[in-house]
Amino acid sequence: MGRKGSFFWVSFSCGIMVLTFILLPLVEMLTAPSGAMLRETLQDRNVIRSIWLSIYTAASAAGISFLVGTPLAYLLARSQFRGKHLIESVIDLPIVIPHPVVGIAILGVAGKNHWLGQYLHEFGIRIMGSTTGIITVLTFVGMPFYINALKAGFEAISPRLENVSRSLGASMWSTFVRVTFPLAWRSVLVGLIMCCARSISEFGAVVVVAYHPMIAPVLIYERYEGYGLQYSQPVAVWLVLVCLSLFLALRLLALPQKKVS
Amino acid sequence: MIDIRNLNVHLGEFRLRDVSLSIDPGEFFVLMGPTGAGKTVLLEAVAGLVPVLGGNIFIGGRDVTRMLPEERGIGIMYQDYALFPHLRIVRNIKYGLRYHRLDKETAQKRFGRLVDDLGIGHLLKRYPETLSGGELQRVALARALMVEPGIILLDEPLSALDQNFREEIRLLLKKINRSSHITFFMVTHDFSEALTLATKAAIMCEGAIAQTGSIRDLFSKPASTFVASFVGMKNVFSAQFNGNQACVDSLTIEVPQPHHHSTGYIAVRPEDIVISLQRFESSIRNAFPGMICGMIDQGFLYEVHIRVRAVVFKSLVTKGAAIDLALDIGAGVHISFKASAVHVF
């Protein structure tokens, strides 16, 4: 390899700057609380409950995205139709809308002044200040990430494999179950991780719809507002550690496996 | 077996226009045409994989135009083999079995016979990504044959193979076609493939059938200038006819029979034009002195361009013959071709 030019050194310096920018505050936050403080925080039932609620609601949002987003992602990957770009833009809307606006928008249709809100109320479904409300908000903000990741996964699978499957007698359902889905499962997993990651970090929309029951980001915010940085940091550390462990496990599952030849 | 009537397909900007074709049972039918002519779309329309706008497709007398692909009993093989990458070879081959009522014993017998015939017994536990092109093609063929379809559609099945494998698979296809009742409908760019395998063929151009007929007729009796140039008739000239003579510019060429129009075209295959240094004393009626105005290297052959007055003829000669005759640009030569080698249309 020859002498490294200025382009390399500029790229290298930018890389170092970006990594420092991301890691420095995180490392500072993770190392700030003492071991005793972390242990004490873990014995706090409110902390455990809020972290669990964060994981549970984010997983529920991912589950709902999986159920209703998978067929839509397949349709968008395989079909060409008028208005497709419009649908894709609509799906991307939750990504660009400011978070509190998402909460206000959801409350707008879930309130008693709206026919949908009245309908939900009749069935005993409450959005405001409920776990259902949190899941609704998290699905709203997380689903675009799932659909986009899976759509790219489906697009990478040759339609010819499906054509051959059908020519061998398999129905579209059977082809999806035996060929398309097994080939796309890594994209499914990546989509679920993206959806979960986005959901678990949501604060602005949730705080509008449901301050209580308290998910971890709301609890962290409340402790910061009420008692200051030191009191909120241990909760943040535990949330980050739990999330990192979960995502790492899912990522490992999504890594390509070496096939026996 | 396959009867396509006035088929119309619209796929975005592309159109299949009033395509009609008839393929007999057990026939090996080849579809040729330039890239973008619509060959694969026609194949996929027959398989039910693209929506049909108008016209009908009959298979064994049954109208299948609105049937789902899985109900048609048609196998399809692509040039990239399309083996399921997540399944071992054995599961690829047996993939279609669950959709066909077949008892275990018959299925196992058929599987064993196919594996033996195609020589793929040693590949069964492997995944497709570890196989060579020839092996993949054999497995794809076994998978299609395992469900015993009445028709197999082949989309340029040999184009991704190297020459050795190509010859091997070509012979295999011929053998299967002869030993079974399966109708083969194949798309290809390769004339030698078409000539070796096909009994009948069609040529497509811009979404329409330009000509259909026996493979021999397509190559020797093209019906249009497009087909003539597509099948390699490099000498296509517009002509005026007078009895058994065609007048191309100021050149009078003997033709096999009088043409029923006063104007039209003549075509001569380049391999039918003989180049010599001296004029042949023979019964050949079309012999002209000319001058070499171009030589194009084609590997084992030269395409030699000879100007005879204002008309440029193209002939193919081996490199050995070109050296023996000391052919070079500017050299004076004689060309000759039989009247029977001239196709009139």
Side-chain angles (χ1 to χ4, degrees):
Chain A
M1 187 90 112
R3 196 168 63 88
K4 291 179 174 68
S6 59
F7 183 80
F8 171 82
W9 289 114
V10 169
S11 306
F12 183 78
S13 310
C14 288
I16 294 291
M17 269 167 61
V18 170
L19 289 178
T20 310
F21 179 66
I22 293 170
L23 287 175
L24 190 64
L26 286 177
V27 171
E28 177 58 31
M29 183 195 73
L30 289 170
T31 53
S34 65
M37 276 176 84
L38 285 173
R39 273 193 300 277
E40 193 186 325
T41 307
L42 204 55
Q43 281 156 8
D44 186 334
R45 291 175 69 89
N46 287 334
V47 172
I48 299 296
R49 200 179 297 131
S50 67
I51 289 177
W52 169 242
L53 185 64
S54 279
I55 293 167
Y56 167 72
T57 49
S60 300
I64 294 166
S65 300
F66 172 79
L67 286 177
V68 296
T70 304
L72 180 60
Y74 183 79
L75 182 78
L76 292 172
R78 282 288 183 264
S79 309
Q80 295 300 328
F81 54 88
R82 205 181 293 249
K84 182 179 166 181
H85 292 306
L86 184 70
I87 292 177
E88 286 171 338
S89 304
V90 170
I91 289 166
D92 286 342
L93 271 179
I95 298 172
V96 293
I97 294 177
H99 299 185
V101 178
V102 170
I104 289 165
I106 286 175
L107 280 186
V109 292
K112 285 180 184 170
N113 294 331
H114 194 273
W115 63 267
L116 184 63
Q118 290 165 4
Y119 196 68
L120 291 172
H121 193 72
E122 272 179 37
F123 281 89
I125 299 168
R126 194 163 54 92
I127 299 294
M128 182 84 177
S130 71
T131 305
T132 312
I134 297 171
I135 293 171
T136 307
V137 168
L138 299 190
T139 306
F140 190 92
V141 297
M143 198 182 305
F145 292 89
Y146 176 75
I147 291 174
N148 288 335
L150 189 53
K151 180 173 154 260
F154 283 141
E155 279 168 346
I157 298 167
S158 169
R160 290 182 168 190
L161 296 173
E162 295 170 352
N163 291 349
V164 168
S165 167
R166 297 194 73 187
S167 79
L168 291 167
S171 66
M172 196 56 239
W173 279 107
S174 193
T175 297
F176 186 81
V177 171
R178 293 184 72 194
V179 177
T180 317
F181 193 78
L183 289 173
W185 76 268
R186 280 200 180 87
S187 301
V188 171
L189 214 50
V190 169
L192 291 176
I193 293 170
M194 301 277 285
C195 179
C196 268
R198 176 67 189 82
S199 304
I200 224 159
S201 63
E202 181 55 41
F203 170 75
V206 175
V207 89
V208 172
V209 173
Y211 196 90
H212 290 282
M214 224 176 255
I215 57 166
V218 178
L219 181 75
I220 292 165
Y221 175 73
E222 192 199 51
R223 294 203 170 183
Y224 169 72
E225 279 286 286
Y227 310 102
L229 195 61
Q230 274 193 330
Y231 198 56
S232 65
Q233 268 175 337
V235 189
V237 169
W238 280 117
L239 179 66
V240 168
L241 289 179
V242 169
C243 292
L244 276 181
S245 317
L246 280 174
F247 293 140
L248 196 66
L250 285 169
R251 269 283 177 197
L252 286 175
L253 272 175
L255 284 177
Q257 302 292 311
K258 208 174 184 181
K259 280 180 185 162
V260 183
S261 60
Chain B
M1 185 69 186
I2 307 176
D3 199 5
I4 303 166
R5 294 184 199 159
N6 305 109
L7 192 72
N8 282 278
V9 173
H10 289 191
L11 277 181
E13 296 290 300
F14 181 78
R15 304 267 187 279
L16 272 190
R17 293 174 286 121
D18 288 323
V19 171
S20 293
L21 269 183
S22 188
I23 302 172
D24 293 332
E27 196 167 60
F28 204 118
F29 192 95
V30 161
L31 185 64
M32 293 179 287
T35 306
K39 307 180 294 293
T40 301
V41 175
L42 178 56
L43 225 57
E44 291 187 337
V46 171
L49 299 166
V50 294
V52 168
L53 195 72
N56 296 86
I57 301 166
F58 295 89
I59 291 173
R62 194 171 52 135
D63 189 347
V64 301
T65 318
R66 309 287 161 213
M67 273 189 185
L68 295 170
E70 56 268 31
E71 295 168 347
R72 298 189 184 203
I74 297 177
I76 190 162
M77 270 175 67
Y78 288 105
Q79 71 183 97
D80 59 2
Y81 325 112
L83 291 182
F84 306 125
H86 59 302
L87 301 179
R88 289 178 194 270
I89 297 307
V90 60
R91 291 189 63 201
N92 260 284
I93 297 171
K94 291 184 174 178
Y95 181 88
L97 279 181
R98 83 164 60 167
Y99 311 107
H100 296 78
R101 283 177 196 152
L102 210 64
D103 62 83
K104 258 190 174 176
E105 198 183 336
T106 315
Q108 201 50 43
K109 263 188 191 167
R110 192 184 294 172
F111 176 75
R113 180 172 47 79
L114 277 172
V115 165
D116 287 345
D117 287 353
L118 295 166
I120 50 176
H122 60 296
L123 307 173
L124 297 178
K125 287 184 179 169
R126 287 165 62 178
Y127 282 97
E129 66 185 15
T130 67
L131 269 57
S132 70
E135 290 170 338
L136 289 168
Q137 195 59 282
R138 283 166 176 273
V139 173
L141 200 55
R143 181 178 62 178
L145 291 168
M146 192 65 200
V147 296
E148 292 203 334
I151 298 163
I152 292 186
L153 308 175
L154 307 161
D155 187 10
E156 302 194 40
L158 311 179
S159 61
L161 299 177
D162 63 39
Q163 195 55 43
N164 293 339
F165 282 134
R166 198 178 290 192
E167 189 64 30
E168 188 183 309
I169 301 288
R170 196 188 288 172
L171 291 171
L172 193 64
L173 288 172
K174 186 120 186 152
K175 188 176 147 196
I176 292 166
N177 179 236
R178 280 182 178 161
S179 61
S180 70
H181 301 291
I182 298 170
T183 305
F184 283 84
F185 185 9
M186 180 169 94
V187 161
T188 184
H189 274 110
D190 189 323
F191 293 156
S192 59
E193 252 168 58
L195 287 162
T196 317
L197 292 168
T199 40
K200 278 171 72 181
I203 292 176
M204 280 192 89
C205 175
E206 293 177 357
I209 298 289
Q211 190 175 344
T212 180
S214 77
I215 191 78
R216 189 181 293 264
D217 280 355
L218 279 182
F219 278 87
S220 60
K221 295 174 185 168
S224 64
T225 50
F226 165 76
V227 175
S229 66
F230 182 76
V231 298
M233 281 210 164
K234 303 222 168 184
N235 302 290
V236 182
F237 309 109
S238 64
Q240 290 183 315
F241 296 99
N242 182 14
N244 276 34
Q245 291 184 327
C247 195
V248 178
D249 283 331
S250 59
L251 209 62
T252 303
I253 293 168
E254 296 286 332
V255 297
Q257 71 275 328
H259 192 41
H260 42 271
H261 295 294
S262 59
T263 57
Y265 292 90
I266 65 162
V268 188
R269 297 199 69 82
E271 54 270 30
D272 288 333
I273 296 180
V274 178
I275 299 177
S276 58
L277 297 177
Q278 304 294 325
R279 185 190 161 91
F280 269 144
E281 290 306 324
S282 72
S283 60
I284 293 177
R285 308 279 288 278
N286 295 309
F288 309 102
M291 193 181 74
I292 296 175
C293 59
M295 288 179 76
I296 298 170
D297 195 337
Q298 292 192 341
F300 293 112
L301 300 168
Y302 273 119
E303 182 183 287
V304 183
H305 296 193
I306 309 106
R307 183 181 295 282
V308 178
R309 291 184 221 163
V311 184
V312 175
F313 289 91
K314 290 165 188 165
S315 171
L316 290 175
V317 293
T318 60
K319 284 199 165 164
I323 293 166
D324 289 347
L325 294 170
L327 300 183
D328 205 353
I329 292 171
V333 290
H334 282 75
I335 61 162
S336 50
F337 50 93
K338 290 179 180 174
S340 60
V342 182
H343 172 60
V344 176
F345 58 101

